[in-house]
Amino acid sequence: MRHSEVIAEKKTGRRLLFWLLTLWGFAGALMMGAVVSQGHNPNPPSVPYGSTRIVRGQATQRAVMNFAQLVEEEKLFPPLIQPKAVHPPMPIPSDLPVPFGGSFGKGAFLISPLGENPSSPPTFSPPPSSPPDSSPSPSASFLALEDDNTSIPPDTHGAVGLNHLMVTLNSQVRIQDRTGANLGTVSLQSFWSSVGPFSGVGVFDPKSLYDPYSNRWMFTACASPQKSDSSLLIGVSQTDDPTGNWNLYRIDADPDNQVWVDYPSMGFNKDWIVVQVNVYNISNNAFNRSHIYVFNKADLYGGGSGAYTLFQDSNIGGTQVPAITLDNTLDTLYLLQVWNPNFGDKGWLRLYKITGSVGREQFNAVTFVEISPPWDFYPNVGWNDFAPQLGSDKKIMNNDSRMQNLVYRNGSLWATHTAFLPANSGTRSAVQWYQIAPDGTVQQFGRVDDPSGTYFFAFPSIAVNQRNDVLIGYSSFSGSQYASAEYSFRFGFDPPNTLKAGFIFKEGEAPYYKTFGAGHNRWGDYSNTVIDPLNDMELWTIQEYAAAPSNRWGTWWAKVTPPNLTPTTALSPENASSTAGTSQTFT
């Protein structure tokens, strides 16, 4: 399906269709039930499961790779990589049918005009001196990885461990120490070459996370877009040292070679690493279905077969983001998506969960989550350049409003994504964030937004520490600044639904316009913000900025140490239970 066709559809012309489809969607949700485990075969037939089909499988290729050795090999034999524009995230259904009667289950919730929240979580008394209105400045700030002029966009992502930082971009993979020193850099293609070869643009859309309970790194990406060898890639480090050995796996997206996979979202809990991808027809690039891969975490960490359970569903749209589950006792893994941002003067999310034992997983819808006020899924220019910048009349793409990331922390789900405002006109982009209970009750809802339309904000990510302090990192744009890296902070005791004023931790340095002939001035497509596993209090974010000279991107780290607070316990194998309810300590 062409981008213009998706964007040009008018909601007013589809209302009747929505109501007709409602019974179908509601019935599909009710039909989701338990599944029957099958043996682990590489490519077994799928099994009907309500509106979902299930496959038990294992990786089609696997290998062990040593990162430090790969760095030395690439120094001797540098890869020949042609500049490439990685395709934009393919469109996903954004106006899915909403149940009759509006409110559904326990997710119904309205924010009053004054921002009061009748379902606010417990609050804590602030220290004697009230916290400042502005977000704290970073306690560390340095370069992550510069533009090597081979790829747009960078697809900014990275993770933080006990002794290392890992930067994973469309261009390269870099391991740093915690001061920013470069310990090794290789191309993204080289990192995955032991489970290659790949066709087309090769490997794309990388994302990495750190498991603080097992002290392991995890890494996912897709390969060979729009090709018959389309694949999902997943890797895990064998130790807490990412410069050492990695177990790498390749999963064939479709043994029948009819579809390809795009835009992975990754989360984990004590039992699983879960990767969701959006699936498209090779023949015409039309959206086909969602794939949710539930990997046996112990199997991957042990260098096993790459065993997984795959849930396939063509009725739930795309980008159901799995939670980064910071509770090593929780048997459930949640997923959240933007379901319909503007229906009945409200926005709608949908919450899912994965339960069951390893190898006998179940996937179920939990509830719809109702938000007021609504927003638009696309800006008013559609799938085109949108945000302003200093020194150029060229604008920068802000993509769409799909969910960006999800964290389970202290008994709640915390999520963020871009929103286009106001609804029905979409003239500016804002960052939207939530705290949601596992039953779908909205506990907090807020925005980083400039109603005057001077400043635009996009590509957010969120992290939460043991005391419910929150950091949201994002890109900021305006006609008075070069595209910059920014974050907003809140204490766990701050008034509900609020963030402190944003802090630009890396100012843009020059105008940015680079398309490699693809026609779009790409940015993003995402970012990452994480807790520090050393103390479970400090927060890190990696964001993109416009670098000098002109038409270059760069990526930059910032670490934020919440002022007036002293850490109590760190996330570690020895302290691997939920920290919900940890008392506040002030200094």
Side-chain angles (χ1 to χ4, degrees):
M1 186 175 294
R2 299 171 64 177
H3 298 167
S4 59
E5 294 172 342
V6 172
I7 297 164
E9 290 178 340
K10 303 296 184 181
K11 287 184 172 61
T12 55
R14 302 192 67 188
R15 295 301 189 214
L16 178 60
L17 177 59
F18 283 167
W19 291 115
L20 293 174
L21 289 174
T22 297
L23 287 176
W24 160 77
F26 187 65
L30 294 177
M31 290 173 65
M32 287 186 175
V35 299
V36 178
S37 177
Q38 300 177 356
H40 290 290
N41 298 313
N43 297 303
S46 58
V47 177
Y49 164 44
S51 64
T52 306
R53 300 180 71 84
I54 180 171
V55 174
R56 310 288 187 187
Q58 61 188 39
T60 48
Q61 283 181 256
R62 50 196 173 107
V64 174
M65 178 272 293
N66 182 276
F67 185 87
Q69 180 179 337
L70 190 62
V71 170
E72 296 305 313
E73 291 175 356
E74 194 162 292
K75 289 178 182 177
L76 294 174
F77 305 100
L80 299 175
I81 300 175
Q82 296 297 320
K84 63 182 180 182
V86 177
H87 66 277
M90 299 294 291
I92 57 175
S94 58
D95 47 6
L96 293 159
V98 174
F100 282 114
S103 298
F104 182 84
K106 298 180 180 179
F109 180 80
L110 299 179
I111 299 292
S112 75
L114 296 178
E116 297 173 352
N117 186 339
S119 301
S120 299
T123 58
F124 300 96
S125 299
S129 59
S130 298
D133 290 334
S134 60
S135 297
S137 59
S139 54
S141 179
F142 47 78
L143 178 71
L145 188 52
E146 59 277 298
D147 186 356
D148 68 353
N149 209 31
T150 65
S151 184
I152 54 171
D155 283 355
T156 307
H157 216 267
V160 175
L162 297 176
N163 300 296
H164 302 86
L165 309 178
M166 184 172 185
V167 184
T168 50
L169 309 182
N170 271 327
S171 56
Q172 295 168 295
V173 177
R174 171 171 289 175
I175 306 299
Q176 300 171 283
D177 68 20
R178 290 171 60 95
T179 69
N182 179 16
L183 302 181
T185 305
V186 300
S187 73
L188 179 66
Q189 308 300 320
S190 293
F191 186 97
W192 294 101
S193 60
S194 58
V195 289
F198 310 106
S199 59
V201 301
V203 183
F204 64 100
D205 285 0
K207 292 182 177 179
S208 54
L209 297 173
Y210 184 77
D211 179 351
Y213 304 109
S214 301
N215 291 331
R216 298 288 196 96
W217 303 78
M218 57 190 76
F219 188 4
T220 193
C222 293
S224 304
Q226 305 171 21
K227 303 294 183 181
S228 60
D229 62 328
S230 172
S231 302
L232 173 66
L233 308 177
I234 188 164
V236 296
S237 65
Q238 291 187 358
T239 69
D240 67 346
D241 183 356
T243 67
N245 285 347
W246 285 75
N247 301 329
L248 303 183
Y249 299 87
R250 178 177 183 170
I251 296 89
D252 187 358
D254 178 19
D256 296 326
N257 297 331
Q258 300 299 307
V259 298
W260 63 281
V261 296
D262 183 47
Y263 201 84
S265 298
M266 179 168 58
F268 65 89
N269 74 349
K270 67 183 182 66
D271 296 317
W272 306 302
I273 298 173
V274 177
V275 181
Q276 186 276 340
V277 289
N278 301 321
V279 183
Y280 299 86
N281 297 334
I282 292 175
S283 61
N284 60 6
N285 282 337
F287 180 83
N288 186 291
R289 59 184 182 263
S290 174
H291 278 186
I292 299 169
Y293 292 87
V294 184
F295 291 95
N296 179 337
K297 189 167 76 170
D299 175 75
L300 296 184
Y301 285 177
S305 64
Y308 62 83
T309 298
L310 166 61
F311 297 101
Q312 304 175 339
D313 201 309
S314 59
N315 297 329
I316 60 172
T319 311
Q320 298 82 22
V321 177
I324 300 166
T325 307
L326 298 180
D327 179 339
N328 209 39
T329 66
L330 191 66
D331 294 324
T332 300
L333 190 143
Y334 293 94
L335 304 93
L336 187 67
Q337 76 179 128
V338 173
W339 180 262
N340 190 324
N342 188 4
F343 182 85
D345 295 324
K346 298 177 180 65
W348 298 80
L349 312 178
R350 199 174 190 188
L351 181 63
Y352 307 84
K353 65 181 179 181
I354 295 169
T355 57
S357 59
V358 174
R360 297 181 62 88
E361 294 86 359
Q362 303 174 28
F363 172 68
N364 290 283
V366 176
T367 189
F368 290 90
V369 181
E370 182 181 334
I371 302 293
S372 180
W375 64 97
D376 281 351
F377 196 76
Y378 295 103
N380 62 350
V381 298
W383 200 258
N384 289 297
D385 301 343
F386 178 62
Q389 61 174 321
L390 177 65
S392 175
D393 60 355
K394 304 293 186 181
K395 296 188 176 182
I396 297 174
M397 236 180 132
N398 280 182
N399 292 11
D400 60 30
S401 187
R402 70 188 67 196
M403 191 61 63
Q404 289 288 299
N405 79 311
L406 177 67
V407 176
Y408 180 93
R409 192 74 215 255
N410 300 334
S412 294
L413 294 159
W414 304 77
T416 188
H417 60 89
T418 306
F420 296 98
L421 301 170
N424 301 312
S425 62
T427 57
R428 68 184 188 272
S429 58
V431 166
Q432 197 153 284
W433 65 275
Y434 315 86
Q435 180 187 2
I436 300 172
D439 66 357
T441 301
V442 179
Q443 298 168 305
Q444 292 192 79
F445 167 68
R447 286 171 172 165
V448 179
D449 182 30
D450 175 15
S452 74
T454 302
Y455 293 92
F456 291 44
F457 310 99
F459 305 108
S461 50
I462 189 169
V464 184
N465 70 12
Q466 63 178 255
R467 298 189 177 101
N468 276 359
D469 299 331
V470 174
L471 185 71
I472 302 177
Y474 49 87
S475 295
S476 64
F477 313 85
S478 81
S480 61
Q481 68 177 53
Y482 304 121
S484 300
E486 189 167 348
Y487 59 69
S488 294
F489 176 84
R490 65 167 276 119
F491 285 106
F493 51 70
D494 280 347
N497 315 311
T498 63
L499 293 170
K500 298 188 182 304
F503 186 96
I504 294 179
F505 67 90
K506 180 55 182 174
E507 293 183 350
E509 300 171 342
Y512 179 82
Y513 185 74
K514 181 159 56 176
T515 70
F516 289 155
H520 297 296
N521 194 20
R522 302 287 307 288
W523 197 262
D525 287 326
Y526 40 74
S527 68
N528 205 25
T529 304
V530 298
I531 58 102
D532 193 323
L534 274 180
N535 52 41
D536 192 25
M537 186 186 75
E538 293 177 305
L539 302 146
W540 293 74
T541 189
I542 181 170
Q543 300 293 327
E544 183 179 3
Y545 69 99
S550 298
N551 309 323
R552 293 289 188 273
W553 51 257
T555 57
W556 201 267
W557 285 107
K559 180 175 74 170
V560 177
T561 302
N564 304 321
L565 293 176
T566 301
T568 53
T569 57
L571 286 170
S572 69
E574 292 75 26
N575 298 294
S577 61
S578 171
T579 55
T582 300
S583 62
Q584 301 294 300
T585 303
F586 304 107
T587 60

